Amino acid sequence: MTIRNMSSLLSMAVRSSKFGSLGRPFMSAIRSRAFGTAAAAEEPIVPPVQANLTQLLIDGQFVDSASGRTFPTLDPRTGQVIAHVSEGDAEDINRAVAAARKAFDKGPWPKMTAYERSLVLYKFADLIEKHNDEIAALETWDNGKPYEQASQIEVPMLVRLMRYYAGWADKIHGLTVPADGSHHVQTLHEPIGVAGQIIPWNFPLLMYAWKVGPALACGNSIVLKTAEQTPLSALYVSNLLLEAGLPPGVLNVISGFGPTAGAALASHMDVDKIAFTGSTTTGQIVLELAAKSNLKSVTLELGGKSPFIICEDADIDEAVELAHFALFFNQGQCCCAGSRTFVHERVYDEFVEKSKARAAKRVVGDPFKKGVEQGPQIDVEQFEKVLRYIKSGIEHGATLEIGGERIGDKGYYIQPTIFTNVEEDMPIVTDEIFGPVQTILKFKDLDEVIHRANRTPYGLAAGVFTKNLDTANTLTRALRAGTIWINCFDVFDAAIPFGGYKMSGLGREKGVYSLSNYLQVKAVVTPLKNPAWL
């Protein structure tokens, strides 16, 4: 699959060329079947992979936790145990940080040429590509996302991201700076040191790439904490990174829980940098722990409540499909999901009716089954949280147009759900639900929708659907969000920076901007004696 087609798969803009990259038989199957209990009630498909790597990765070796404790990682299709994983805590973080510090201060990684480091990352990408199907199967088994999404989109994107950062490794350099007086001034861009990284459960592999890729390209060592819900894929690909030639201790992976392992990493005095992706509430805790310890540099990619604006000139059929994708992709478990769908009053009624019809056709079921669009929510906690929000919407007087219930009697499947007649202060409008719940709101003009779209503590992303260039330009500059998608959504190219305004985070990931997260700038000033020129 080409990179261009891969980006098309993820963006799912409603041009025929992009649907064509998925294949018309696949799209026809999706549109011809309704969500329902049949797909989810069947016996789960046996995953074509084994969960063999369940220990912690410290100093190049897979080892048990210091305490010997383990915790279960569960199959969200059934709630049953996939494997028991070593549970890291503060002592294991200390071991991992010591290994990372030794690798950075005394090991070969920072002293290798940038080109040599790039070769390791290129080989790593090749190995991921070789093991695409096994990695995707682990991701689906542990997370619940459709296998076709994992194998055709996310693992190939992991490969692309690693090759992107491999290409950057030998292109990082400082500047020569003209200064007043007879001095030679240069800047050095140096690796920051030991980077602590905490990744979420909704996109474990992609968040792994967003953090590990730039950190290694810049010459750092890493202690990575996985989400306790989804530890398996990171352990698998990290083993491939060792096979690619990464020296021991450069990457250490700890599976564990936030209050123990995560807090220990964020507050560790020998960690130079912390990068976190997750909820805004937890991000605030990470920032506080970093500040109270050694004022380590912090990058945060946090929550969102993104507006998706359908203007009056929109092609309604295309707008419905794109808005549906913007919200329901990845079971709605996406930080930038277009969860506030604003629709112009002139096309509102038609949009609502067609959105209901599209939701009714959404295929929900075993994510290993071909043609399934939506798998289960990640775990019972998230499952129950989404159902509470649905109940809240009903109790607050919103109109439940479709869905709203559990599918089947096992696993964490929820019907695609749409609310209309919602008020701005309802929790289903203000809060990040992180589930398959769409709220559709009516607006009259641009000034009104700009004000309402920006009336949120979040600012991660926004979508705009219009044929009018002036309208698009007006909204692009008025919406306070880190990414604005015009007539598309969820386009995540390796070179496009991603991050939020306001309480959606600090800093940017992906693209050239992410490199600055893992570099220190040093100024070097040398006197010049009798210079021929200045």
Side-chain angles (χ1 to χ4, degrees):
M1 178 180 297
T2 66
I3 296 305
R4 184 171 182 173
N5 284 341
M6 184 173 65
S7 296
S8 297
L9 277 171
L10 188 55
S11 69
M12 283 290 289
V14 291
R15 295 189 295 272
S16 61
S17 62
K18 296 204 170 188
F19 284 142
S21 65
L22 270 173
R24 295 194 179 277
F26 178 77
M27 292 306 301
S28 297
I30 285 175
R31 287 176 172 156
S32 65
R33 297 173 57 187
F35 73 76
T37 59
E42 298 170 355
E43 282 300 310
I45 294 171
V46 177
V49 69
Q50 297 294 318
N52 294 324
L53 293 173
T54 59
Q55 295 173 293
L56 311 178
L57 175 58
I58 298 177
D59 203 15
Q61 300 293 323
F62 286 93
V63 297
D64 291 334
S65 61
S67 68
R69 289 194 300 269
T70 63
F71 66 93
T73 185
L74 306 178
D75 182 345
R77 301 175 303 164
T78 62
Q80 295 176 351
V81 176
I82 298 172
H84 291 274
V85 178
S86 292
E87 181 184 338
D89 57 21
E91 185 173 351
D92 300 295
I93 291 293
N94 288 336
R95 296 159 64 199
V97 171
R101 176 57 62 190
K102 180 181 176 182
F104 183 76
D105 290 345
K106 300 179 181 179
W109 184 248
K111 299 175 181 64
M112 293 168 64
T113 67
Y115 177 65
E116 289 172 327
R117 289 199 300 271
S118 75
L119 293 180
V120 173
L121 293 177
Y122 278 124
K123 185 174 181 182
F124 178 41
D126 292 343
L127 289 169
I128 295 169
E129 198 166 50
K130 178 181 177 181
H131 295 277
N132 181 95
D133 294 351
E134 302 100 292
I135 297 168
L138 271 180
E139 191 82 329
T140 293
W141 195 8
D142 212 16
N143 173 277
K145 65 180 63 201
Y147 176 75
E148 290 177 334
Q149 174 185 322
S151 63
Q152 298 177 29
I153 302 173
E154 295 187 17
V155 178
M157 285 191 71
L158 173 61
V159 173
R160 176 65 180 100
L161 284 157
M162 286 303 168
R163 287 178 177 152
Y164 177 83
Y165 285 112
W168 265 115
D170 60 356
K171 299 169 187 67
I172 297 168
H173 56 78
L175 301 171
T176 300
V177 183
D180 295 339
S182 55
H183 292 87
H184 173 77
V185 182
Q186 66 184 91
T187 60
L188 303 177
H189 290 186
E190 299 181 345
I192 201 166
V194 176
Q197 302 177 331
I198 303 173
I199 60 174
W201 49 258
N202 58 332
F203 292 99
L205 286 172
L206 293 182
M207 298 303 101
Y208 179 101
W210 288 18
K211 290 175 172 55
V212 170
L216 292 183
C218 293
N220 297 281
S221 60
I222 299 168
V223 177
L224 177 84
K225 192 199 87 67
T226 59
E228 61 269 23
Q229 297 90 341
T230 54
L232 298 179
S233 59
L235 292 168
Y236 186 101
V237 297
S238 295
N239 191 45
L240 296 181
L241 188 46
L242 294 178
E243 184 180 338
L246 190 74
V250 176
L251 174 64
N252 306 272
V253 181
I254 304 297
S255 308
F257 295 85
T260 50
L265 185 59
S267 61
H268 203 288
M269 293 297 293
D270 209 19
V271 170
D272 303 300
K273 159 78 185 180
I274 193 79
F276 170 80
T277 296
S279 72
T280 294
T281 300
T282 305
Q284 291 173 311
I285 296 171
V286 168
L287 187 61
E288 181 180 8
L289 291 172
K292 287 184 174 180
S293 52
N294 59 347
L295 277 176
K296 58 178 67 66
S297 172
V298 179
T299 302
L300 301 173
E301 196 267 281
L302 306 176
K305 193 69 179 178
S306 299
F308 189 91
I309 300 171
I310 311 296
C311 298
E312 61 181 312
D313 63 342
D315 180 303
I316 296 304
D317 290 335
E318 292 185 352
V320 165
E321 190 64 41
L322 190 59
H324 179 88
F325 171 74
L327 186 281
F328 292 105
F329 175 66
N330 206 53
Q331 294 71 249
Q333 297 170 155
C334 189
C335 54
C336 58
S339 51
R340 293 183 297 147
T341 307
F342 290 95
V343 183
H344 193 276
E345 61 182 4
R346 292 182 183 174
V347 295
Y348 179 85
D349 291 340
E350 180 184 0
F351 182 90
V352 169
E353 289 306 309
K354 290 185 174 181
S355 293
K356 288 164 56 179
R358 178 62 181 93
K361 294 178 181 179
R362 187 166 183 81
V363 183
V364 183
D366 189 327
F368 280 104
K369 189 170 185 177
K370 186 176 182 180
V372 163
E373 291 179 281
Q374 180 177 316
Q377 307 309 122
I378 183 66
D379 61 13
V380 66
E381 180 180 353
Q382 186 64 21
F383 171 79
E384 292 178 348
K385 173 188 171 185
V386 174
L387 291 178
R388 284 197 301 272
Y389 271 109
I390 292 172
K391 182 180 179 182
S392 167
I394 295 170
E395 290 175 344
H396 280 83
T399 301
L400 178 64
E401 296 284 355
I402 192 169
E405 297 181 359
R406 176 180 191 165
I407 296 178
D409 58 3
K410 64 180 177 181
Y412 310 125
Y413 297 91
I414 295 177
Q415 293 175 342
T417 300
I418 297 177
F419 281 103
T420 59
N421 296 318
V422 295
E423 300 294 336
E424 303 281 345
D425 59 350
M426 291 180 180
I428 58 172
V429 178
T430 61
D431 296 0
E432 185 179 36
I433 299 173
F434 232 59
V437 181
Q438 184 180 29
T439 57
I440 305 179
L441 304 95
K442 186 186 299 184
F443 75 93
K444 293 182 179 181
D445 56 48
L446 286 186
D447 288 341
E448 175 198 332
V449 77
I450 289 168
H451 172 74
R452 292 169 66 191
N454 286 333
R455 200 173 75 176
T456 173
Y458 300 112
L460 193 55
V464 174
F465 204 83
T466 181
K467 297 175 183 176
N468 188 303
L469 181 60
D470 291 334
T471 298
N473 286 334
T474 296
L475 290 169
T476 295
R477 285 157 176 76
L479 296 172
R480 294 188 52 77
T483 300
I484 311 294
W485 284 297
I486 306 295
N487 297 330
C488 61
F489 209 86
D490 280 351
V491 180
F492 286 114
D493 188 90
I496 301 175
F498 186 78
Y501 285 26
K502 299 185 281 187
M503 293 185 74
S504 287
L506 301 172
R508 295 294 181 267
E509 296 191 299
K510 297 196 294 108
V512 64
Y513 295 91
S514 64
L515 300 175
S516 62
N517 298 332
Y518 298 98
L519 294 169
Q520 294 272 32
V521 178
K522 178 184 288 183
V524 181
V525 183
T526 306
L528 296 173
K529 297 294 181 67
N530 301 317
W533 54 269
L534 290 175

